[in-house]
Amino acid sequence: MALVLKCGRDERAEWRSELHRLLPDMEVRPWHQAGDPDDIEFALVWKPDAGELRRFANLRAIFSLGAGVDHIMNDPDLPPGVPVVRLIDPELTRQMSEYVVLSALYLHRRMPAYAAAQKDGRWRPLPAPDTRSASVGIMGLGVLGSDAAEKLRPFGLPLLGWSRRPKNIEGVRCFHGAPGLAPFLAETGILVCLLALTPETKGILNAKTFASLPRGAGVINCARGGHLVDEDLIEALDSGHLSGAVLDVFDPEPLPEDHPFWRHPQITLTPHVASLTLVHSAAIIIAENIRRMRKGEAPLAIADPKAGY
Ligand code: NDP
Ligand code: OXD
């Protein structure tokens, strides 16, 4: 039996060598040289082509190469009954928390305004940032959102969080569900999006959400581009209601060259690098899940097909 791998060309050799080291009896086949589809027991994928996974009649699990599984779940022809397995990797979590702390402090310390002043050659000190009132609200309190909250705690900024189900996290005022959204937004000064992308959360960063934030709020999107309504963000920034945004993810990616985000003075953007899968670390987690399945145990971190993440 074999594993089929769909990853970036640059990482293919590393994945194959790590998986060979950890699972010496597993044959690893590249996506376009999968051979006899009936040999394929496991798929390890990033953005598989829609309908393609269904070719593998003996597939036992689909492993995501990233933390999000939307790139798999959005296939309307997904093989039924085959578990989709999320990647929960401490290295991914660490990187994301670094990005969130960096971006939240960047907005809190008004770095976009200082960058603009520097560009104009202007010496323009702003009032001291008041940490007591500069709250950070995290949408999505899953693996990444809850760790980001924990890493932000030592800075003393009031923390809020919003999720689908109720949560109890030390030092975080937790809200949940549709009724919890408005009170959460009303007290959020810096909004961080770390939600899973599902039909319910698509476009959630929109004009109504921005209008519910206090004037001068900032927005950080490091989940998926599909959460954000691009025009609504530009309008909220241009009207002065929002003061700045840090964006790591876009729809589509790469962000088209002529997209207004590139040159907007209040937007800082990065090319989907907030947290990158590190092969040496992720391969250990995937190999361990395959070993579990071979022993007849369920893999860890199966996505819930009903919830979609
Ligand atoms: P989790 O599945 O652990 O967490 C997802 C969170 O979203 C949960 O708190 C969940 O609520 C919440 N959620 C889902 N649907 C709703 C809803 N309808 N209303 C309110 N809350 C909802 O995922 P991770 O923390 O591991 O990852 C989060 C996302 O980060 C990924 O899906 C991915 O898109 C993105 N990501 C981006 C990267 C980058 O480099 N930019 C890298 C890695 C991930 P509940 O807790 O109640 O289930
Ligand atoms: C992920 C990502 O989901 O890289 O891991 O976006």
Side-chain angles (χ1 to χ4, degrees), residues 102-112 128-136 155 157 190:
L102 171 77
S103 306
L105 294 179
Y106 177 82
L107 293 179
H108 172 55
R109 296 304 308 258
R110 307 205 180 98
M111 292 307 279
D130 188 344
T131 302
R132 293 163 307 171
S133 59
S135 55
V136 179
F155 293 97
L157 300 156
I190 296 171

Side-chain angles (χ1 to χ4, degrees), residues 96 98-113 189-194 205 210 217-225 228 233 237 242-250 255 261 264-274:
M96 184 56 85
E98 285 173 4
Y99 190 93
V100 171
V101 170
L102 171 77
S103 306
L105 294 179
Y106 177 82
L107 293 179
H108 172 55
R109 296 304 308 258
R110 307 205 180 98
M111 292 307 279
I190 296 171
L191 181 68
V192 179
C193 180
L194 271 174
L205 300 177
F210 299 145
V219 170
I220 299 165
N221 186 19
C222 37
R224 287 288 181 262
L228 177 66
L233 176 67
L237 288 167
L242 293 182
S243 58
V246 177
L247 308 175
D248 182 58
V249 283
F250 307 90
L255 184 67
F261 283 173
H264 198 288
Q266 283 142 287
I267 292 178
T268 300
L269 66 83
T270 48
H272 199 146
V273 292

Side-chain angles (χ1 to χ4, degrees), residues 67 87-99 143-144 147 151 273-285:
L87 179 60
I88 299 183
D89 179 339
E91 285 294 328
L92 272 182
T93 310
R94 174 186 61 77
Q95 291 176 68
M96 184 56 85
S97 292
E98 285 173 4
Y99 190 93
V143 174
L144 302 182
D147 189 75
K151 302 286 158 55
V273 292
S275 176
L276 298 173
T277 299
L278 299 177
V279 178
H280 72 86
S281 166
I284 294 171
I285 291 154

Side-chain angles (χ1 to χ4, degrees), residues 115-128:
Q118 180 181 350
K119 201 159 155 263
D120 297 346
R122 274 185 298 132
W123 182 270
R124 196 167 59 113
L126 296 167

